[in-house]
Amino acid sequence: MLITDLVQIERLAARKEDENWEYRTFLKGGPHSSKKLDAIVHRLHARVSAQIDCTACANCCKTILPILDQEDIDNFARGLGISAEEFAEKYLVEDKAEAGMTFKGTPCPFLVDNKCSNYEHRPKDCSSYPHLHKPGFQRRTLGVLANCSTCPIVFNVMEGLKKELPQTEAF
């Protein structure tokens, strides 16, 4: 049974923080097969995401700041019918930790009724969220743990992964 209530997910993620860090260590260490782990995560992601309506939640757009590169900025501005310079000046700030720009704050200024008002031109970081379909899950576990309390898909995939691949098993 999937958990989709954000309050419950936030509480459970906080309670499972130590367990999840320990599990991350298990995933990162040893001679594990990255391809097998990716295959399990991709299958779990497909199953879980098919059952969750992101527009009923939109918590990512309410709480996470995506990183935009110049291509994203140009594309998003084009969708708004303004120049990239005007878009950047009005809505973006430089992200010091990452190479790129991000919105000035949360929630996303283009979130309307839990949907992106510039959806066809959204940044790559947004369109690929929660990034569980990508290869290299083993290298991205830090971000996954950070998103466990934010995204019902990530939370449920992580819980499914822990059940399917217990720490006692090699993979």
Side-chain angles (χ1 to χ4, degrees), residues 10-98:
E10 191 173 347
R11 259 191 245 131
L12 286 170
R15 196 167 49 206
K16 293 174 177 269
E17 188 173 357
D18 290 341
E19 174 186 314
N20 286 345
W21 276 101
E22 186 177 307
Y23 192 71
R24 177 184 182 263
T25 301
F26 162 71
L27 293 175
K28 299 283 287 177
H32 308 310
S33 166
S34 181
K35 283 185 178 188
K36 183 177 178 183
L37 178 59
D38 281 351
I40 294 168
V41 170
H42 295 169
R43 182 175 38 75
L44 289 169
H45 174 254
R47 182 178 56 82
V48 171
S49 62
Q51 299 177 64
I52 293 179
D53 176 9
C54 290
T55 63
C57 174
N59 201 38
C60 52
C61 303
K62 295 172 185 172
T63 62
I64 297 174
L65 293 170
I67 304 301
L68 288 75
D69 61 18
Q70 192 58 52
E71 181 183 353
D72 291 323
I73 293 167
D74 293 341
N75 185 42
F76 205 89
R78 188 172 35 262
L80 295 173
I82 61 175
S83 72
E85 294 76 20
E86 182 181 352
F87 169 63
E89 184 178 313
K90 188 170 183 181
Y91 296 104
L92 303 177
V93 293
E94 184 179 349
D95 186 287
K96 304 284 186 207
E98 301 283 336

Side-chain angles (χ1 to χ4, degrees), residues 109-152:
F110 300 97
L111 183 65
V112 178
D113 296 327
N114 280 356
K115 296 177 184 157
C116 179
S117 62
N118 198 14
Y119 186 81
E120 294 302 318
H121 299 275
R122 69 195 186 281
K124 293 179 290 291
D125 212 13
C126 297
S127 64
S128 71
Y129 189 83
H131 315 294
L132 297 175
H133 65 287
K134 294 179 177 181
F137 178 84
Q138 198 170 28
R139 294 185 314 271
R140 294 181 289 103
T141 55
L142 190 60
V144 172
L145 291 187
N147 290 327
C148 273
S149 64
T150 302
C151 177

